[in-house]
Amino acid sequence: MTRLTIALFLISTLSITGQNLYFPPTSGDTWETMPPEDLNWCDEKITDLITYLEDQNTKAFIILKDGKIVIEEYF
């Protein structure tokens, strides 16, 4: 998997309409999440992505959808 593939994956998940944006509260540590299944994402591809990131010595990775955490990984 190349960096271009990852970039295209991330760009394809972004919504440019700005509908239903969520902003976390300014106090506290609660941040809403959204499971990848709600977005019909392929679990196998997510696993491949996480494996790739770990192999590349990535320290942290996060994907937000409309302000909600979809994927959050720390290595």
Coordinates of all heavy atoms in Angstrom, one line a residue:
M1 N 0.9 -1.2 0.0 CA 0.0 0.0 0.0 C 0.9 1.2 0.0 O 1.8 1.3 0.8 CB -0.9 0.0 1.2 CG -2.0 0.9 1.2 SD -3.1 0.9 2.6 CE -3.8 -0.7 2.6
T2 N 0.6 2.2 -0.8 CA 1.4 3.4 -0.9 C 0.8 4.5 -0.1 O -0.4 4.4 0.3 CB 1.6 3.8 -2.4 OG1 0.3 4.2 -2.9 CG2 2.2 2.7 -3.2
R3 N 1.6 5.5 0.0 CA 1.1 6.7 0.7 C -0.1 7.3 0.0 O -1.0 7.9 0.5 CB 2.2 7.7 1.0 CG 3.2 7.3 2.0 CD 4.2 8.3 2.2 NE 5.2 7.7 3.2 CZ 6.3 8.3 3.5 NH1 6.6 9.5 3.1 NH2 7.1 7.8 4.4
L4 N 0.0 7.3 -1.4 CA -1.0 7.8 -2.2 C -2.3 7.1 -2.0 O -3.4 7.7 -1.9 CB -0.7 7.7 -3.7 CG -1.7 8.2 -4.7 CD1 -2.1 9.7 -4.4 CD2 -1.2 8.0 -6.1
T5 N -2.3 5.8 -1.8 CA -3.5 5.0 -1.6 C -4.1 5.4 -0.2 O -5.3 5.5 -0.1 CB -3.1 3.5 -1.5 OG1 -2.5 3.1 -2.8 CG2 -4.4 2.6 -1.3
I6 N -3.3 5.6 0.8 CA -3.8 6.0 2.1 C -4.4 7.4 2.0 O -5.5 7.6 2.5 CB -2.7 6.0 3.1 CG1 -2.2 4.5 3.4 CG2 -3.1 6.6 4.4 CD1 -1.0 4.4 4.3
A7 N -3.7 8.3 1.3 CA -4.3 9.6 1.1 C -5.6 9.6 0.4 O -6.6 10.3 0.8 CB -3.3 10.5 0.4
L8 N -5.7 8.8 -0.6 CA -7.0 8.7 -1.4 C -8.1 8.1 -0.5 O -9.2 8.5 -0.5 CB -6.8 7.9 -2.6 CG -6.0 8.5 -3.7 CD1 -5.7 7.6 -4.9 CD2 -6.6 9.8 -4.2
F9 N -7.7 7.1 0.3 CA -8.7 6.5 1.3 C -9.2 7.6 2.2 O -10.4 7.7 2.4 CB -8.0 5.4 2.0 CG -8.9 4.8 3.1 CD1 -9.9 4.0 2.9 CD2 -8.6 5.2 4.4 CE1 -10.7 3.4 3.9 CE2 -9.4 4.7 5.5 CZ -10.4 3.8 5.2
L10 N -8.3 8.4 2.8 CA -8.7 9.4 3.7 C -9.6 10.5 3.1 O -10.6 10.9 3.6 CB -7.5 10.0 4.4 CG -6.7 9.1 5.3 CD1 -5.4 9.8 5.8 CD2 -7.5 8.5 6.4
I11 N -9.1 10.9 1.9 CA -9.9 11.9 1.2 C -11.3 11.5 0.8 O -12.3 12.2 0.9 CB -9.1 12.4 -0.1 CG1 -7.9 13.2 0.4 CG2 -10.0 13.3 -1.0 CD1 -6.9 13.5 -0.7
S12 N -11.4 10.2 0.4 CA -12.7 9.7 0.0 C -13.7 9.6 1.2 O -14.9 9.5 1.0 CB -12.5 8.3 -0.6 OG -12.2 7.3 0.3
T13 N -13.1 9.6 2.4 CA -14.0 9.5 3.6 C -14.5 10.8 4.1 O -15.4 10.9 4.9 CB -13.3 8.8 4.8 OG1 -12.2 9.5 5.2 CG2 -12.9 7.4 4.4
L14 N -13.9 11.9 3.6 CA -14.3 13.2 4.0 C -15.6 13.7 3.4 O -15.9 13.4 2.2 CB -13.2 14.2 3.7 CG -11.9 14.0 4.3 CD1 -10.8 15.0 3.8 CD2 -12.0 14.1 5.8
S15 N -16.4 14.3 4.2 CA -17.7 14.9 3.7 C -17.5 16.4 3.5 O -17.2 17.1 4.5 CB -18.8 14.6 4.6 OG -20.0 15.3 4.3
I16 N -17.7 16.9 2.3 CA -17.5 18.3 2.1 C -18.8 19.1 2.3 O -18.8 20.3 2.2 CB -17.0 18.6 0.7 CG1 -17.9 18.1 -0.4 CG2 -15.6 18.0 0.5 CD1 -17.5 18.5 -1.8
T17 N -19.9 18.4 2.6 CA -21.2 19.1 2.8 C -21.3 19.8 4.1 O -22.0 20.7 4.3 CB -22.4 18.1 2.6 OG1 -22.2 17.1 3.6 CG2 -22.4 17.5 1.2
G18 N -20.6 19.3 5.1 CA -20.6 19.9 6.4 C -21.9 19.7 7.2 O -22.2 20.4 8.2
Q19 N -22.6 18.7 6.8 CA -23.9 18.4 7.5 C -23.6 17.6 8.8 O -22.7 16.8 8.8 CB -24.8 17.5 6.6 CG -25.2 18.3 5.4 CD -26.1 17.4 4.5 OE1 -26.1 16.2 4.6 NE2 -26.7 18.0 3.5
N20 N -24.3 17.8 9.8 CA -24.3 17.1 11.1 C -22.9 17.1 11.7 O -22.4 16.1 12.2 CB -24.7 15.7 10.9 CG -26.1 15.6 10.4 OD1 -27.0 16.4 10.8 ND2 -26.4 14.7 9.5
L21 N -22.2 18.2 11.6 CA -20.9 18.3 12.2 C -21.0 18.3 13.7 O -21.9 18.9 14.3 CB -20.2 19.6 11.8 CG -19.6 19.6 10.4 CD1 -19.0 21.0 10.1 CD2 -18.7 18.5 10.1
Y22 N -20.1 17.6 14.4 CA -20.0 17.5 15.8 C -18.7 18.2 16.3 O -17.7 18.0 15.7 CB -20.0 16.0 16.2 CG -19.6 15.8 17.6 CD1 -20.5 16.0 18.7 CD2 -18.3 15.3 17.9 CE1 -20.0 15.8 20.0 CE2 -17.9 15.1 19.2 CZ -18.8 15.4 20.3 OH -18.4 15.2 21.5
F23 N -18.9 18.9 17.3 CA -17.7 19.5 18.0 C -17.7 19.1 19.4 O -18.7 19.2 20.1 CB -17.8 21.1 17.9 CG -17.7 21.6 16.5 CD1 -18.9 21.9 15.8 CD2 -16.5 21.8 15.9 CE1 -18.8 22.4 14.5 CE2 -16.4 22.3 14.6 CZ -17.6 22.6 13.9
P24 N -16.5 18.5 19.9 CA -16.4 18.0 21.2 C -16.5 19.2 22.2 O -16.2 20.3 21.9 CB -15.0 17.4 21.3 CG -14.3 18.0 20.2 CD -15.3 18.4 19.1
P25 N -17.0 18.9 23.4 CA -17.1 19.9 24.4 C -15.7 20.5 24.8 O -14.7 19.9 24.7 CB -17.7 19.2 25.6 CG -17.5 17.8 25.4 CD -17.4 17.6 23.9
T26 N -15.7 21.8 25.2 CA -14.5 22.4 25.5 C -14.0 22.0 26.9 O -12.8 22.2 27.2 CB -14.7 24.0 25.5 OG1 -15.7 24.3 26.4 CG2 -15.0 24.5 24.1
S27 N -14.8 21.4 27.7 CA -14.3 20.8 29.0 C -14.6 19.3 29.0 O -15.5 18.8 28.4 CB -15.0 21.6 30.1 OG -16.4 21.3 30.1
G28 N -13.8 18.6 29.8 CA -14.0 17.2 29.9 C -13.2 16.5 28.8 O -12.5 17.1 28.0
D29 N -13.3 15.1 28.8 CA -12.5 14.4 27.9 C -13.4 13.4 27.1 O -12.9 12.4 26.5 CB -11.4 13.6 28.6 CG -11.9 12.7 29.7 OD1 -13.2 12.6 29.9 OD2 -11.1 11.9 30.3
T30 N -14.7 13.7 27.0 CA -15.6 12.9 26.2 C -15.7 13.3 24.8 O -15.9 14.5 24.5 CB -17.0 12.9 26.9 OG1 -16.9 12.5 28.2 CG2 -17.9 12.0 26.1
W31 N -15.4 12.4 23.9 CA -15.5 12.7 22.4 C -16.4 11.7 21.8 O -16.1 10.5 21.9 CB -14.1 12.7 21.8 CG -14.0 13.4 20.5 CD1 -14.8 13.2 19.4 CD2 -13.0 14.3 20.1 NE1 -14.4 14.0 18.3 CE2 -13.3 14.7 18.7 CE3 -11.9 14.9 20.7 CZ2 -12.5 15.5 18.0 CZ3 -11.2 15.8 20.0 CH2 -11.5 16.1 18.6
E32 N -17.4 12.1 21.1 CA -18.3 11.1 20.5 C -17.6 10.3 19.4 O -16.6 10.7 18.7 CB -19.5 11.8 19.8 CG -20.5 12.2 20.8 CD -21.8 12.8 20.1 OE1 -22.2 12.2 19.1 OE2 -22.4 13.7 20.7
T33 N -18.0 9.0 19.3 CA -17.4 8.1 18.3 C -18.5 7.6 17.3 O -19.7 7.7 17.6 CB -16.7 6.9 19.0 OG1 -17.7 6.2 19.7 CG2 -15.6 7.3 19.9
M34 N -18.0 7.0 16.2 CA -18.9 6.4 15.3 C -18.2 5.2 14.8 O -17.1 5.2 14.3 CB -19.1 7.4 14.1 CG -19.9 6.9 12.9 SD -19.9 8.0 11.5 CE -20.7 9.4 12.2
P35 N -18.9 4.0 14.8 CA -18.2 2.8 14.4 C -18.1 2.8 12.8 O -19.0 3.3 12.1 CB -19.2 1.7 14.9 CG -20.5 2.3 15.1 CD -20.2 3.8 15.4
P36 N -17.0 2.2 12.3 CA -16.8 2.1 10.9 C -17.9 1.4 10.2 O -18.2 1.7 9.0 CB -15.5 1.4 10.7 CG -14.8 1.5 12.0 CD -15.8 1.7 13.1
E37 N -18.6 0.5 10.9 CA -19.7 -0.3 10.3 C -20.8 0.7 9.9 O -21.5 0.4 8.9 CB -20.2 -1.3 11.2 CG -19.2 -2.4 11.6 CD -18.3 -2.0 12.7 OE1 -18.6 -1.1 13.6 OE2 -17.1 -2.5 12.7
D38 N -21.0 1.7 10.6 CA -22.1 2.7 10.3 C -21.8 3.4 8.9 O -22.7 4.0 8.3 CB -22.2 3.8 11.4 CG -22.9 3.2 12.6 OD1 -23.2 2.0 12.6 OD2 -23.0 4.0 13.6
L39 N -20.5 3.4 8.5 CA -20.1 4.0 7.3 C -20.0 3.0 6.1 O -19.5 3.3 5.1 CB -18.8 4.8 7.5 CG -18.9 5.9 8.5 CD1 -17.5 6.4 8.8 CD2 -19.9 7.0 8.1
N40 N -20.3 1.7 6.4 CA -20.1 0.6 5.5 C -18.7 0.5 5.0 O -18.5 0.2 3.8 CB -21.1 0.8 4.3 CG -22.5 0.8 4.7 OD1 -22.9 -0.1 5.5 ND2 -23.3 1.6 4.2
W41 N -17.8 0.7 5.9 CA -16.4 0.5 5.6 C -16.0 -1.0 5.7 O -16.5 -1.7 6.5 CB -15.5 1.3 6.5 CG -15.5 2.8 6.3 CD1 -16.3 3.5 5.4 CD2 -14.8 3.8 7.0 NE1 -16.1 4.8 5.5 CE2 -15.2 5.0 6.4 CE3 -13.9 3.8 8.0 CZ2 -14.7 6.2 6.9 CZ3 -13.4 4.9 8.5 CH2 -13.8 6.2 7.9
C42 N -15.1 -1.4 4.8 CA -14.6 -2.8 4.8 C -13.7 -3.1 5.9 O -12.6 -2.5 6.0 CB -14.0 -3.0 3.4 SG -13.3 -4.7 3.3
D43 N -14.1 -4.0 6.8 CA -13.3 -4.3 8.0 C -11.9 -4.8 7.6 O -10.9 -4.5 8.3 CB -14.0 -5.3 8.9 CG -15.2 -4.7 9.7 OD1 -15.2 -3.5 9.9 OD2 -16.1 -5.5 10.0
E44 N -11.9 -5.6 6.6 CA -10.6 -6.2 6.1 C -9.6 -5.1 5.7 O -8.4 -5.2 6.0 CB -10.8 -7.1 4.9 CG -9.6 -7.8 4.5 CD -9.9 -8.8 3.3 OE1 -10.9 -9.4 3.3 OE2 -9.0 -8.9 2.4
K45 N -10.1 -4.1 5.0 CA -9.2 -3.0 4.6 C -8.8 -2.2 5.7 O -7.6 -1.7 5.7 CB -10.0 -2.1 3.5 CG -10.3 -2.8 2.3 CD -9.0 -3.2 1.5 CE -9.4 -3.9 0.2 NZ -8.2 -4.3 -0.5
I46 N -9.6 -2.0 6.7 CA -9.2 -1.3 7.9 C -8.1 -2.0 8.6 O -7.1 -1.4 9.1 CB -10.4 -1.0 8.9 CG1 -11.4 -0.1 8.2 CG2 -9.9 -0.5 10.2 CD1 -12.7 0.1 8.9
T47 N -8.2 -3.3 8.8 CA -7.2 -4.1 9.4 C -5.9 -4.0 8.6 O -4.8 -3.9 9.2 CB -7.7 -5.6 9.5 OG1 -8.9 -5.7 10.2 CG2 -6.6 -6.5 10.1
D48 N -6.0 -4.1 7.3 CA -4.8 -3.9 6.4 C -4.1 -2.6 6.7 O -2.9 -2.5 6.7 CB -5.1 -4.1 4.9 CG -5.5 -5.5 4.6 OD1 -5.3 -6.4 5.4 OD2 -6.1 -5.7 3.5
L49 N -5.0 -1.5 6.8 CA -4.4 -0.2 7.0 C -3.7 -0.1 8.3 O -2.6 0.4 8.4 CB -5.6 0.9 6.9 CG -5.2 2.3 7.3 CD1 -4.1 2.9 6.3 CD2 -6.4 3.2 7.4
I50 N -4.3 -0.6 9.4 CA -3.7 -0.6 10.7 C -2.4 -1.4 10.7 O -1.4 -0.9 11.3 CB -4.7 -1.1 11.8 CG1 -6.0 -0.3 11.8 CG2 -4.0 -1.2 13.2 CD1 -5.8 1.2 12.1
T51 N -2.4 -2.5 10.1 CA -1.2 -3.3 10.0 C -0.1 -2.5 9.2 O 1.1 -2.5 9.7 CB -1.4 -4.6 9.2 OG1 -2.4 -5.4 10.0 CG2 -0.2 -5.5 9.1
Y52 N -0.4 -1.9 8.1 CA 0.5 -1.1 7.4 C 1.1 0.1 8.2 O 2.3 0.3 8.3 CB -0.1 -0.5 6.1 CG 0.7 0.5 5.4 CD1 1.8 0.0 4.6 CD2 0.6 1.8 5.5 CE1 2.6 0.9 3.9 CE2 1.4 2.7 4.9 CZ 2.4 2.3 4.1 OH 3.2 3.2 3.4
L53 N 0.2 0.8 8.9 CA 0.7 1.9 9.8 C 1.6 1.4 10.9 O 2.6 2.0 11.1 CB -0.6 2.6 10.4 CG -1.5 3.3 9.4 CD1 -2.7 3.7 10.2 CD2 -0.8 4.5 8.8
E54 N 1.3 0.3 11.4 CA 2.2 -0.3 12.5 C 3.5 -0.7 11.9 O 4.6 -0.4 12.5 CB 1.5 -1.5 13.1 CG 2.2 -2.0 14.4 CD 1.4 -3.0 15.1 OE1 0.5 -3.6 14.6 OE2 1.8 -3.2 16.3
D55 N 3.5 -1.3 10.7 CA 4.8 -1.7 10.0 C 5.6 -0.5 9.7 O 6.8 -0.6 9.6 CB 4.5 -2.5 8.7 CG 3.9 -3.9 9.0 OD1 4.0 -4.3 10.2 OD2 3.3 -4.5 8.1
Q56 N 5.0 0.7 9.5 CA 5.7 1.9 9.1 C 6.1 2.7 10.4 O 6.6 3.8 10.2 CB 4.8 2.8 8.2 CG 4.5 2.1 6.9 CD 5.7 1.8 6.1 OE1 6.6 2.6 5.9 NE2 5.8 0.5 5.7
N57 N 6.0 2.1 11.5 CA 6.4 2.7 12.8 C 5.6 4.0 13.1 O 6.1 4.9 13.7 CB 7.9 3.0 12.9 CG 8.7 1.7 12.8 OD1 8.4 0.8 13.5 ND2 9.7 1.7 12.0
T58 N 4.3 4.0 12.7 CA 3.4 5.1 13.0 C 3.2 5.1 14.5 O 3.1 4.0 15.1 CB 2.1 4.9 12.3 OG1 2.4 4.8 10.9 CG2 1.1 6.0 12.5
K59 N 3.1 6.3 15.1 CA 2.9 6.4 16.5 C 1.5 6.5 16.9 O 1.0 6.0 17.9 CB 3.7 7.6 17.1 CG 5.2 7.5 16.8 CD 5.8 6.2 17.5 CE 7.3 6.1 17.2 NZ 7.8 4.8 17.2
A60 N 0.7 7.2 16.1 CA -0.7 7.4 16.4 C -1.4 7.7 15.0 O -0.9 8.2 14.1 CB -0.9 8.6 17.3
F61 N -2.7 7.3 15.0 CA -3.5 7.5 13.8 C -5.0 7.7 14.2 O -5.5 7.0 15.1 CB -3.4 6.3 12.9 CG -4.2 6.4 11.6 CD1 -3.7 7.1 10.6 CD2 -5.4 5.7 11.4 CE1 -4.3 7.2 9.4 CE2 -6.1 5.8 10.2 CZ -5.5 6.6 9.2
I62 N -5.6 8.7 13.5 CA -7.0 9.0 13.9 C -7.8 9.4 12.6 O -7.2 10.0 11.7 CB -7.2 10.1 14.9 CG1 -8.6 10.2 15.4 CG2 -6.6 11.4 14.4 CD1 -8.7 11.0 16.7
I63 N -9.0 8.9 12.5 CA -9.9 9.3 11.4 C -11.1 9.9 12.1 O -11.8 9.2 12.9 CB -10.3 8.2 10.4 CG1 -9.1 7.7 9.7 CG2 -11.4 8.6 9.5 CD1 -9.4 6.5 8.7
L64 N -11.5 11.1 11.7 CA -12.7 11.7 12.1 C -13.7 11.8 11.0 O -13.3 12.1 9.8 CB -12.4 13.2 12.6 CG -11.4 13.3 13.7 CD1 -11.2 14.8 14.0 CD2 -11.9 12.6 15.0
K65 N -15.0 11.6 11.3 CA -16.0 11.8 10.3 C -17.1 12.7 10.9 O -17.6 12.4 11.9 CB -16.7 10.4 9.9 CG -18.0 10.5 9.1 CD -17.6 10.9 7.7 CE -18.9 10.7 6.9 NZ -19.3 11.9 6.2
D66 N -17.2 13.9 10.3 CA -18.1 14.9 10.8 C -17.8 15.2 12.3 O -18.7 15.5 13.1 CB -19.6 14.5 10.6 CG -20.0 14.3 9.2 OD1 -19.4 15.0 8.3 OD2 -20.9 13.5 8.9
G67 N -16.5 15.2 12.6 CA -16.1 15.5 14.0 C -16.1 14.4 15.0 O -15.6 14.6 16.1
K68 N -16.6 13.2 14.6 CA -16.7 12.1 15.5 C -15.5 11.1 15.2 O -15.1 11.0 14.0 CB -18.0 11.4 15.4 CG -19.2 12.2 15.8 CD -20.5 11.5 15.5 CE -21.6 12.4 15.9 NZ -22.9 11.8 15.6
I69 N -15.0 10.5 16.2 CA -13.9 9.6 16.0 C -14.4 8.3 15.4 O -15.3 7.6 16.0 CB -13.2 9.3 17.4 CG1 -12.5 10.6 17.9 CG2 -12.1 8.2 17.2 CD1 -12.0 10.4 19.3
V70 N -13.8 7.9 14.3 CA -14.2 6.6 13.7 C -13.1 5.6 13.9 O -13.4 4.4 14.3 CB -14.4 6.8 12.1 CG1 -14.8 5.4 11.5 CG2 -15.5 7.8 11.9
I71 N -11.9 5.9 13.8 CA -10.7 5.1 14.0 C -9.7 5.9 14.8 O -9.4 7.0 14.5 CB -10.1 4.5 12.7 CG1 -11.1 3.7 11.9 CG2 -8.8 3.8 13.0 CD1 -10.5 3.3 10.6
E72 N -9.2 5.3 15.9 CA -8.2 5.9 16.8 C -7.3 4.7 17.2 O -7.7 3.8 17.9 CB -8.8 6.5 18.0 CG -7.9 7.2 18.9 CD -8.5 7.9 20.1 OE1 -9.7 7.5 20.4 OE2 -7.9 8.8 20.6
E73 N -6.0 4.8 16.8 CA -5.0 3.8 17.1 C -3.8 4.4 17.6 O -3.3 5.5 17.1 CB -4.7 3.0 15.8 CG -5.9 2.1 15.3 CD -6.2 0.9 16.2 OE1 -5.3 0.4 16.9 OE2 -7.4 0.5 16.1
Y74 N -3.2 3.8 18.6 CA -1.9 4.2 19.1 C -1.0 3.0 19.1 O -1.4 1.9 19.4 CB -2.0 4.7 20.5 CG -2.9 5.9 20.6 CD1 -4.2 5.8 20.9 CD2 -2.4 7.2 20.3 CE1 -5.1 6.9 20.9 CE2 -3.2 8.3 20.3 CZ -4.6 8.2 20.6 OH -5.4 9.2 20.7
F75 N 0.3 3.2 18.6 CA 1.2 2.0 18.5 C 2.4 2.2 19.4 O 2.8 3.2 19.8 CB 1.7 1.9 17.0 CG 0.6 1.9 16.0 CD1 0.1 3.1 15.4 CD2 -0.1 0.7 15.7 CE1 -0.9 3.1 14.5 CE2 -1.1 0.7 14.8 CZ -1.5 1.9 14.2

